[in-house]
Amino acid sequence: MIRPRRRGRWLILVLLALAWGSATAEAPDRRLEIWLDPASRELRGEMRLVLPPGTEFRLLESLEVTRVAGADGPVTPQRPAPGRYRLPSADAPGAVTIHWRGTLPAQLPGTGLGVSPDGSLLPARVGWYPRVADPTPGPLALTIHVPTGQQAVGTGSLVEAHRHANGVTSRYTHPRTGEVEIAAGPWRPREAEAAGVRLRTLFPARLDEAFAATYLEHGARHLAMFQRRLGPFPFDSFTLAASPRPVGLAFPGFALLGERVIPLPFIPRTSLAHELMHAWWGAGVGVDPASGNWSEALTTYLADYALDEARGEAGETRRRWLVDLAALPAGEERALASFRGGPDPAGRLIGYQHGAMVFHMLRRRIGDEAFEAGLVRLAEERMFHTASWEDLQAAFEAAAGDELTDFFAAWLTRPGRPRLSLHGIEREATESGFRVSGELAQHGARPWPLEVPLVVETEGGPLHATTHLVGRRAAFSIASDRAPTALAVDPDHHLLRRLDRAPAILRGLTLDPATRLLALDESLAPLGQWVLGREAPGGSGERPGDTPLLVIGTTEAVADWLAHQALPTPPHPLRTAGHGRMWTLPGTRIGLVSADDRQGLERLVRALRHHRHRSYLVQDAAGNTLDAGTWEADTDPLRVELAP
């Protein structure tokens, strides 16, 4: 028996739900009980809820309603179409209990997800339970039964998980939700209490023994840090479960990570924190789909970036984001408000990195104190409700005591980013010291509201200033009592802007639909397509001019190909470095992937999905990273040396 959770915290959440506009006042509670056997894919369910007469609900076609019981006896629903049911319109509104059963398909329609003893996920949208259009959120009591050898996790906070002769029964509650998701797998449960929250892992035995303790340890640290900043965790428990599929998905109270991802050493410091933060943004405060998905940007900024900031790596993270965004082809630029989520790589760059930089600029504009107060206000006002970009703007405006329409209108609705340039820079001596003056310009379809950091380097240390650039051009003048030696515009990359001399990275090839693939051995073409994430037209053995090209082959074949091309060499030699390597050629749109044997190529290709922001990567024969990084630009047009 796993011990039951503490009741006091749940009472607090229920009272908060009442304060936020009680779910009980909007929709009576639902009671959902599920029996799932992943081996046979058999599912049986009972759901008690209140439905008005004439309500239509949907159910997977492979499942069938067996009985509907109303307050006054059996109810016979109509079936206007396969998978569609409608309650009689003559009956009065009231509670009904719907019973259904059937066999789930091996592949759930439209998801790429499956049901099997190795791991199952049932998202709400597939209709594995009776689902009405636009369900009214309300309290949920969820019970899941799975057979021996399986564990289950579902929407909400864990009440208890009881192991018995026939398997495991788990119970979850949620104060206000419209959707229900469950997952199951051959997992071992492990848990720890951290900051008043039950942290749990559900991993297969081999992953449990090797990694569960590490994830619980890191999860406890992340959770304590996040609660100090945002207030109470929205749920009594958080469960991280393993999936045989390469996913990273967050749901209310739990998240799934792919089994191949869990062993990667950086995941407890990155993806785990990201999924925990989604408990506040996305799973707690929901996204209003009509407004656009803001939760990925805010989660990235408050989890991934905040941890880098705590480690003193924030500046490098911002630079990396700008380098990533510089890899976007012109045809893939889009407005932040258009991002809805999904796997599209270009869209994710906008929704995650571009959006996170917008929150960084907002924080700098209104100050740390107002930014933190806005976050807490948003959580308090919208928890277990949806929020739009307009709701976020209102929360930050109230916290800052300032009107922010110019900021949000520009950064949400305009695609792209401004490019900056310097003009007429002069250094002159004055009676009191020195003066550096000039003009700053921004280039783009329309001007963005910018607070541009300027740094004057002097013999006695840096001098910081800010120029307000709301139009095309703005003059500036900075006085110094020490001799200036250089002027730099935004050297720490605080602004969302275009980089004039961004390094060539692998992402530039994977995002560009014009990229061609040259497999020096035809049998390696599938590996090249895996790197690009799609099928690509084949290239000839000749240099393709300005057309982007990915070349893949053995170490010897790629070296031979390079020997016959008039191409620039990288800053340090990589043709035979390590056992396998990827590198881009500066000044070209060419990337190369090679290894000493096919096994090395396969290991390298699997790793490259985590290194698309790199200019080069070198691995040893075991797949360990020996060297990785991005090429440095020779010059920065936004830095000017100031001669005496």
Side-chain angles (χ1 to χ4, degrees):
M1 170 79 73
I2 298 175
R3 60 175 174 75
R5 59 173 169 73
R6 295 177 296 109
R7 300 286 174 176
R9 183 177 177 84
W10 179 243
L11 177 60
I12 292 173
L13 285 174
V14 171
L15 293 174
L16 287 173
L18 294 173
W20 288 323
S22 169
T24 305
E26 298 176 11
D29 65 337
R30 287 168 297 159
R31 298 185 180 276
L32 176 58
E33 190 162 7
I34 294 295
W35 291 260
L36 172 66
D37 184 350
S40 65
R41 304 198 308 276
E42 291 296 314
L43 178 109
R44 179 166 64 90
E46 298 177 6
M47 187 173 186
R48 183 185 183 277
L49 71 169
V50 173
L51 293 176
T55 296
E56 186 172 302
F57 60 87
R58 180 170 63 90
L59 193 64
L60 266 174
E61 292 185 25
S62 62
L63 305 177
E64 184 175 6
V65 171
T66 57
R67 183 162 57 96
V68 179
D72 299 324
V75 176
T76 303
Q78 303 168 352
R79 295 192 66 177
R84 302 275 179 182
Y85 297 83
R86 182 183 299 125
L87 296 180
S89 56
D91 292 350
V96 296
T97 301
I98 303 172
H99 303 253
W100 73 98
R101 69 185 311 154
T103 303
L104 293 164
Q107 285 287 110
L108 298 173
T111 67
L113 302 170
V115 178
S116 80
D118 294 332
S120 308
L121 172 63
L122 300 181
R125 66 182 184 275
V126 303
W128 59 272
Y129 66 92
R131 190 163 181 259
V132 301
D134 299 321
T136 302
L140 169 71
L142 171 65
T143 302
I144 312 167
H145 305 276
V146 290
T148 300
Q150 292 278 307
Q151 294 277 340
V153 63
T155 293
S157 299
L158 177 67
V159 178
E160 64 175 354
H162 175 60
R163 192 176 289 109
H164 48 77
N166 296 321
V168 178
T169 295
S170 306
R171 293 185 175 87
Y172 293 84
T173 56
H174 194 299
R176 188 181 187 276
T177 183
E179 308 282 19
V180 186
E181 287 89 12
I182 65 173
W187 300 322
R188 284 185 181 177
R190 190 181 294 225
E191 72 173 72
E193 184 164 322
V197 178
R198 287 177 71 175
L199 280 179
R200 306 171 69 231
T201 56
L202 292 176
F203 291 173
R206 60 183 177 82
L207 294 179
D208 173 72
E209 293 170 1
F211 303 107
T214 297
Y215 275 82
L216 290 174
E217 179 184 346
H218 279 82
R221 286 204 295 267
H222 299 330
L223 192 58
M225 173 182 171
F226 296 161
Q227 289 201 106
R228 285 194 299 269
R229 186 173 193 179
L230 300 170
F233 191 71
F235 303 95
D236 279 2
S237 63
F238 176 81
T239 302
L240 181 70
S243 170
R245 294 164 185 83
V247 298
L249 299 170
F251 303 101
F254 75 99
L256 295 179
L257 281 181
E259 291 178 5
R260 288 188 175 181
V261 171
I262 287 171
L264 298 176
F266 55 88
I267 295 298
R269 297 183 286 106
T270 55
S271 297
L272 174 59
H274 189 95
E275 304 308 339
L276 266 170
M277 183 58 72
H278 266 309
W280 277 276
W281 318 117
V285 180
V287 172
D288 179 355
S291 165
N293 186 341
W294 50 265
S295 73
E296 294 297 356
L298 189 56
T299 296
T300 298
Y301 188 63
L302 297 181
D304 310 64
Y305 177 82
L307 292 172
D308 288 345
E309 192 173 33
R311 290 189 288 264
E313 301 170 0
E316 177 54 34
T317 296
R318 296 191 298 269
R319 177 185 178 275
R320 186 180 74 244
W321 287 348
L322 294 182
V323 170
D324 278 344
L325 290 165
L328 274 172
E332 296 290 346
E333 295 285 6
R334 60 196 76 170
L336 178 56
S338 70
F339 176 67
R340 296 294 188 273
D344 170 47
R348 288 172 68 86
L349 273 182
I350 300 295
Y352 288 67
Q353 285 95 316
H354 180 111
M357 281 295 293
V358 169
F359 281 112
H360 181 68
M361 292 191 300
L362 174 64
R363 175 182 166 192
R364 286 175 60 83
R365 171 163 169 168
I366 66 177
D368 287 354
E369 184 177 349
F371 185 77
E372 302 301 314
L375 295 172
V376 172
R377 186 185 190 97
L378 180 66
E380 289 177 345
E381 292 181 349
R382 303 305 302 172
M383 187 60 66
F384 303 134
H385 290 68
T386 60
S388 64
W389 276 110
E390 291 76 14
D391 293 319
L392 269 70
Q393 178 179 336
F396 288 113
E397 284 180 338
D402 189 15
E403 207 268 340
L404 299 170
T405 298
D406 64 326
F407 180 91
F408 279 93
W411 293 108
L412 294 186
T413 63
R414 299 181 198 170
R417 292 156 299 285
R419 182 176 65 82
L420 302 180
S421 62
L422 279 170
H423 304 274
I425 305 304
E426 294 183 354
R427 162 188 147 149
E428 58 182 323
T430 65
E431 293 182 358
S432 58
F434 300 88
R435 183 183 307 280
V436 177
S437 60
E439 191 174 57
L440 189 64
Q442 63 167 306
H443 311 271
R446 283 183 291 169
W448 278 262
L450 297 171
E451 306 283 328
V452 184
L454 302 176
V455 177
V456 176
E457 298 174 13
T458 76
E459 295 173 350
L463 180 63
H464 296 267
T466 300
T467 292
H468 303 280
L469 182 60
V470 295
R472 294 287 185 188
R473 306 175 84 89
F476 63 87
S477 178
I478 305 170
S480 172
D481 58 359
R482 294 163 290 184
T485 58
L487 170 70
V489 177
D490 191 30
D492 295 321
H493 304 95
H494 288 295
L495 290 181
L496 181 54
R497 58 182 175 89
R498 292 186 180 277
L499 298 179
D500 273 322
R501 290 184 172 86
I505 60 173
L506 178 62
R507 197 182 301 280
L509 297 174
T510 63
L511 289 176
D512 196 327
T515 298
R516 293 161 60 188
L517 173 65
L518 174 58
L520 299 177
D521 179 333
E522 288 186 7
S523 69
L524 300 179
L527 292 178
Q529 292 169 357
W530 179 273
V531 174
L532 294 174
R534 65 181 186 280
E535 293 187 6
S540 69
E542 299 302 318
R543 183 180 177 184
D546 195 42
T547 302
L549 177 70
L550 180 72
V551 181
I552 186 169
T554 63
T555 301
E556 182 179 358
V558 171
D560 286 346
W561 183 84
L562 282 170
H564 291 86
Q565 310 297 322
L567 292 170
T569 57
H572 55 270
L574 289 167
R575 293 188 187 193
T576 59
H579 186 83
R581 75 292 302 168
M582 175 282 299
W583 74 104
T584 61
L585 295 178
T588 76
R589 304 173 72 191
I590 297 174
L592 304 114
V593 177
S594 70
D596 293 354
D597 52 44
R598 186 182 181 93
Q599 291 74 23
L601 267 174
E602 291 173 350
R603 282 192 295 269
L604 177 63
V605 164
R606 284 196 299 269
L608 286 178
R609 66 187 298 264
H610 302 291
H611 293 275
R612 289 172 180 159
H613 61 290
R614 308 282 195 189
S615 298
Y616 59 91
L617 172 72
V618 180
Q619 288 187 333
D620 64 15
N624 301 309
T625 297
L626 299 177
D627 194 10
T630 57
W631 307 129
E632 295 293 336
D634 294 333
T635 60
D636 182 356
L638 294 181
R639 176 184 168 84
V640 178
E641 300 294 331
L642 300 173

Short mmCIF file of all heavy atoms in Angstrom, two decimals, residues 5 15 23 45 52 54 57 116 278 408 429 447 504 524 544 592 601 608 638:
data_model
loop_
_atom_site.label_atom_id
_atom_site.label_comp_id
_atom_site.label_asym_id
_atom_site.label_seq_id
_atom_site.Cartn_x
_atom_site.Cartn_y
_atom_site.Cartn_z
N ARG A 5 -2.09 10.58 0.43
CA ARG A 5 -1.55 11.94 0.52
C ARG A 5 -2.18 12.69 1.68
O ARG A 5 -3.22 12.32 2.20
CB ARG A 5 -1.81 12.69 -0.79
CG ARG A 5 -3.29 12.78 -1.10
CD ARG A 5 -3.52 13.67 -2.31
NE ARG A 5 -4.88 13.56 -2.77
CZ ARG A 5 -5.93 14.07 -2.15
NH1 ARG A 5 -5.78 14.71 -1.02
NH2 ARG A 5 -7.13 13.93 -2.66
N LEU A 15 -10.29 25.21 -1.62
CA LEU A 15 -10.68 26.57 -1.24
C LEU A 15 -10.21 27.59 -2.26
O LEU A 15 -10.92 28.54 -2.59
CB LEU A 15 -10.12 26.89 0.15
CG LEU A 15 -10.72 26.08 1.30
CD1 LEU A 15 -9.99 26.39 2.61
CD2 LEU A 15 -12.22 26.36 1.46
N ALA A 23 -15.40 25.58 -9.51
CA ALA A 23 -15.78 24.61 -10.52
C ALA A 23 -17.12 24.00 -10.17
O ALA A 23 -17.91 23.65 -11.04
CB ALA A 23 -14.71 23.53 -10.63
N GLY A 45 -15.19 1.14 -18.91
CA GLY A 45 -15.29 2.36 -18.14
C GLY A 45 -16.69 2.67 -17.66
O GLY A 45 -17.69 2.22 -18.25
N PRO A 52 -27.18 17.81 -19.97
CA PRO A 52 -28.50 18.30 -20.38
C PRO A 52 -29.14 17.35 -21.39
O PRO A 52 -28.43 16.61 -22.09
CB PRO A 52 -28.21 19.66 -21.01
CG PRO A 52 -26.83 20.02 -20.58
CD PRO A 52 -26.11 18.73 -20.38
N GLY A 54 -30.52 15.91 -24.81
CA GLY A 54 -30.09 16.16 -26.17
C GLY A 54 -28.60 16.29 -26.35
O GLY A 54 -28.12 16.50 -27.46
N PHE A 57 -22.34 13.11 -27.39
CA PHE A 57 -20.97 12.83 -26.98
C PHE A 57 -20.33 11.86 -27.97
O PHE A 57 -21.01 11.17 -28.73
CB PHE A 57 -20.88 12.32 -25.55
CG PHE A 57 -21.63 11.04 -25.27
CD1 PHE A 57 -21.04 9.79 -25.48
CD2 PHE A 57 -22.93 11.08 -24.76
CE1 PHE A 57 -21.73 8.62 -25.21
CE2 PHE A 57 -23.63 9.91 -24.49
CZ PHE A 57 -23.03 8.68 -24.72
N SER A 116 0.05 -0.73 -25.37
CA SER A 116 0.76 -2.01 -25.31
C SER A 116 1.28 -2.21 -23.90
O SER A 116 1.34 -1.25 -23.10
CB SER A 116 1.93 -2.03 -26.30
OG SER A 116 3.04 -1.34 -25.77
N HIS A 278 5.63 23.27 -16.16
CA HIS A 278 4.34 23.20 -16.87
C HIS A 278 3.18 22.95 -15.91
O HIS A 278 2.02 23.18 -16.28
CB HIS A 278 4.38 22.11 -17.93
CG HIS A 278 4.77 22.61 -19.29
ND1 HIS A 278 4.15 23.69 -19.89
CD2 HIS A 278 5.69 22.16 -20.18
CE1 HIS A 278 4.67 23.89 -21.08
NE2 HIS A 278 5.63 22.99 -21.28
N PHE A 408 3.39 44.60 -26.13
CA PHE A 408 2.75 43.35 -26.50
C PHE A 408 2.27 43.37 -27.94
O PHE A 408 2.37 42.36 -28.65
CB PHE A 408 1.60 43.04 -25.54
CG PHE A 408 2.03 42.41 -24.25
CD1 PHE A 408 2.29 43.20 -23.13
CD2 PHE A 408 2.20 41.05 -24.14
CE1 PHE A 408 2.70 42.63 -21.94
CE2 PHE A 408 2.61 40.46 -22.95
CZ PHE A 408 2.86 41.25 -21.85
N ALA A 429 37.04 64.52 -26.47
CA ALA A 429 37.40 64.97 -25.13
C ALA A 429 36.53 66.16 -24.75
O ALA A 429 36.19 67.00 -25.58
CB ALA A 429 38.87 65.34 -25.08
N PRO A 447 9.25 49.61 -37.10
CA PRO A 447 10.09 49.69 -35.90
C PRO A 447 9.46 48.93 -34.73
O PRO A 447 8.25 48.88 -34.57
CB PRO A 447 10.16 51.19 -35.61
CG PRO A 447 9.74 51.87 -36.86
CD PRO A 447 8.77 50.95 -37.53
N ALA A 504 27.38 29.40 -38.66
CA ALA A 504 26.66 28.32 -39.35
C ALA A 504 26.47 27.16 -38.38
O ALA A 504 27.43 26.67 -37.80
CB ALA A 504 27.46 27.87 -40.57
N LEU A 524 23.28 4.93 -46.73
CA LEU A 524 23.29 5.87 -45.61
C LEU A 524 22.25 6.97 -45.77
O LEU A 524 22.12 7.82 -44.88
CB LEU A 524 24.69 6.50 -45.47
CG LEU A 524 25.84 5.52 -45.22
CD1 LEU A 524 27.16 6.28 -45.14
CD2 LEU A 524 25.60 4.72 -43.95
N PRO A 544 27.30 22.39 -54.71
CA PRO A 544 26.02 22.84 -55.26
C PRO A 544 25.85 24.35 -55.32
O PRO A 544 24.72 24.84 -55.32
CB PRO A 544 25.02 22.24 -54.25
CG PRO A 544 25.76 22.31 -52.95
CD PRO A 544 27.21 22.05 -53.29
N LEU A 592 28.61 18.49 -42.77
CA LEU A 592 29.17 17.16 -43.02
C LEU A 592 29.00 16.28 -41.80
O LEU A 592 29.19 16.73 -40.66
CB LEU A 592 30.66 17.28 -43.39
CG LEU A 592 30.93 18.20 -44.59
CD1 LEU A 592 31.72 19.41 -44.13
CD2 LEU A 592 31.66 17.47 -45.69
N LEU A 601 28.21 6.04 -37.09
CA LEU A 601 27.28 6.98 -37.73
C LEU A 601 25.91 6.91 -37.09
O LEU A 601 25.26 7.95 -36.86
CB LEU A 601 27.17 6.67 -39.23
CG LEU A 601 28.12 7.42 -40.17
CD1 LEU A 601 27.99 6.89 -41.59
CD2 LEU A 601 27.84 8.92 -40.12
N LEU A 608 22.47 13.76 -32.70
CA LEU A 608 22.41 15.08 -33.32
C LEU A 608 21.09 15.81 -33.09
O LEU A 608 21.05 17.04 -33.19
CB LEU A 608 22.68 14.96 -34.83
CG LEU A 608 24.14 14.69 -35.21
CD1 LEU A 608 24.28 14.55 -36.72
CD2 LEU A 608 25.05 15.79 -34.68
N LEU A 638 28.45 45.50 -34.35
CA LEU A 638 27.90 46.34 -33.30
C LEU A 638 28.93 46.63 -32.20
O LEU A 638 28.57 47.04 -31.10
CB LEU A 638 26.66 45.68 -32.69
CG LEU A 638 25.46 45.56 -33.64
CD1 LEU A 638 24.28 44.92 -32.94
CD2 LEU A 638 25.06 46.91 -34.21
#
